[in-house]
Structure formats: C-alpha cells, structure tokens
C-alpha cells in the first residue's frame, strides 16, 4: 500500500484545531454551490470504498470526479476535511433513517431498540459500511484528526442506542447507560470483519441479526448497575 500523509505513521499528525475552525459551514456551500462539493464527496467515497486508504489522495479523487486537482483542493485543502464531511453526511443520513423508521409514536422503547439493532446490522452487510469503516479504522490508527472524527461519529451512535437503553432500564445511571450502549455498539461493529460484505461468514448474518435483536434487548433490560460499573456481582 502506498503511503500518504493519512496512512504514513511517520507523518506529522494533523492537530484537530488546525482544521476544525475552518468548518463554519459545509465546504462549497457559499462558494460555488453544493453540486461541485457533492461530486467531490461521491468521488472520495468511491475511492475510499473501492481502492482503499492508500489511494485516498486529492489527485486520485480529482481524477475520479473529472476535475483539476486545484478545483478539489479549493474546496477541500486537506483530505481530512473530506473525512469529516463524509462522516457528518453519513450521520445525518442515519438520523433521517431513524426519524422515518424508528422514532415512530406507536413503537415502544424495546421495539425501537430492536429495530435500530436490525438496521445497523443490515447496514454492516452492505459494501459501503463494511469497506468504508474498515478503511476509516485503519486511517484512525495513524491520524489524530481522523481518530477524533471517528470517535465523535460513534459517540452519536452510542447516544442513539443509549436513549432506548435508559428507557428499558431506568435503574442505570447515565454513565452506566453509556457503557451498555458502548457494549451493544461494539457487539454489532464486531461483526464487520466476520459477516460484513463479502466476509467469510457473510451468509450467517441473518442468524446474527436474529440473535442480536433478541439477546441485546434482554441485556439492555436486565444488566445491573453493578455490572455496568465493572463490578462482579458474585464478589458482593
């Protein structure tokens, strides 16, 4: 894999605050409209999914969307900006999906959490999520800014899960809810290298969805505050 500033461990890390202050709005929104930015983002996503982190360069992305390098770098001076906007857009799409399919008044907390688990695991089965997040995890290993953006993304996911855990198990304190939500998220994300798109046990994802939807719900409902704090009930 060819090394780039995003993947080379020897490269200087990019300080988070060196990039974040420039993000007062979505790049391109007030410059040339969103059409160019959307074309760049779609190209960046294709490159990251189909070719991996090693190909994730401004030059390669420019070629993918048929633009000059200068046009791409005008909107996205750093590749890290592309990562941030891609994750922001993805989180927004998930939020819209939850609004339309999960946050329905006729559903109770158990039904909503069950549906959320099913939707997350089904999403992992797709090529976009399987490949995109494995590449992002790799990038995050060597780039502080990408690592922070991935952390922020997953914190939002944990908040979605925690909302329903808190309803199902009111005995849990807020920090305990966050721990349980983290576990549920980890249990789902952990299926990616095994049963994600074209992975060795992709054919068993249907069974995994059924098991997870039933037993992660039971866990959310029955886990004790002591367990959520890491205390062994047998030692009490």
């Amino acid at each position: 894999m060819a090394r780039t500033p995003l993947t080379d461990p020897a490269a200087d890390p990019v300080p988070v605050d060196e990039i974040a202050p420039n993000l007062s709005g979505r790049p391109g929104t007030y410059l040339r409209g969103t059409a160019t930015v959307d074309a760049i983002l779609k190209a960046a996503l294709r490159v990251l999914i189909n070719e991996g982190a090693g190909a994730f360069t401004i030059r390669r992305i420019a070629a993918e969307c048929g633009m000059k390098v200068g046009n791409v770098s005008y909107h996205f001076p750093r590749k890290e900006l592309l990562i941030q906007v891609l994750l922001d857009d993805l989180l927004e799409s998930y939020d819209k999906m939850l609004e339309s399919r999960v946050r329905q008044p006729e559903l109770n907390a158990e039904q909503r959490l069950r549906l959320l688990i099913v939707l997350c695991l089904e999403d992992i089965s797709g090529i976009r999520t399987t490949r995109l997040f494995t590449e992002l995890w790799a990038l995050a290993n060597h780039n502080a800014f990408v690592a922070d953006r991935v952390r922020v993304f997953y914190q939002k996911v944990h908040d979605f899960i925690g909302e329903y855990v808190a309803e199902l198990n009111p005995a849990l304190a807020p920090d305990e809810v966050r721990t349980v939500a983290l576990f549920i998220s980890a249990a789902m994300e952990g299926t990616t290298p095994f049963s994600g798109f074209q992975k060795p046990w992709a054919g068993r994802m249907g069974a995994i969805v059924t098991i997870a939807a039933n037993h992660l719900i039971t866990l959310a409902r029955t886990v004790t505050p002591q367990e959520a704090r890491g205390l062994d009930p047998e030692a009490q």
Side-chain angles (χ1 to χ4, degrees), residues 155-170:
Q155 184 59 65
K156 293 291 186 181
V157 174
H158 301 163
D159 289 344
F160 293 151
I161 297 170
E163 178 183 347
Y164 305 124
V165 171
E167 289 188 55
L168 287 172
N169 197 334

Side-chain angles (χ1 to χ4, degrees), residues 147-190:
D148 188 66
R149 292 300 91 196
V150 171
R151 178 193 63 79
V152 170
F153 176 89
Y154 278 116
Q155 184 59 65
K156 293 291 186 181
V157 174
H158 301 163
D159 289 344
F160 293 151
I161 297 170
E163 178 183 347
Y164 305 124
V165 171
E167 289 188 55
L168 287 172
N169 197 334
L172 298 176
D175 193 57
E176 295 159 0
V177 168
R178 285 190 287 270
T179 299
V180 174
L182 170 63
F183 178 84
I184 292 173
S185 177
M188 294 190 293
E189 292 295 324

Side-chain angles (χ1 to χ4, degrees), residues 81-223:
L81 284 171
L82 282 163
I83 296 292
Q84 172 150 347
V85 179
L86 283 173
L87 284 172
D88 287 347
D89 282 0
L90 191 59
L91 195 61
E92 183 180 352
S93 73
Y94 286 158
D95 192 52
K96 289 179 179 178
M97 179 179 67
L98 291 178
E99 197 63 40
S100 64
R101 300 182 61 180
V102 176
R103 298 181 185 125
Q104 299 301 312
E106 69 274 12
L107 300 179
N108 59 35
E110 178 176 329
Q111 292 169 321
R112 292 182 182 189
L113 182 55
R114 184 184 302 276
L115 186 53
L116 177 58
I117 290 168
V118 171
L119 290 173
C120 285
L121 288 171
E122 288 179 346
D123 191 55
I124 287 172
S125 297
I127 182 173
R128 181 190 69 173
T129 297
T130 291
R131 292 189 179 174
L132 174 62
F133 281 95
T134 50
E135 295 298 332
L136 288 174
W137 297 338
L139 291 174
N141 284 334
H142 307 294
N143 186 288
F145 180 80
V146 176
D148 188 66
R149 292 300 91 196
V150 171
R151 178 193 63 79
V152 170
F153 176 89
Y154 278 116
Q155 184 59 65
K156 293 291 186 181
V157 174
H158 301 163
D159 289 344
F160 293 151
I161 297 170
E163 178 183 347
Y164 305 124
V165 171
E167 289 188 55
L168 287 172
N169 197 334
L172 298 176
D175 193 57
E176 295 159 0
V177 168
R178 285 190 287 270
T179 299
V180 174
L182 170 63
F183 178 84
I184 292 173
S185 177
M188 294 190 293
E189 292 295 324
T191 66
T192 304
F194 302 109
S195 300
F197 180 79
Q198 292 185 338
K199 297 302 180 182
W201 295 280
R204 299 191 185 182
M205 184 58 100
I208 290 172
V209 171
T210 299
I211 294 169
N214 288 331
H215 293 285
L216 290 179
I217 294 292
T218 300
L219 168 79
R221 188 186 293 280
T222 62
V223 64

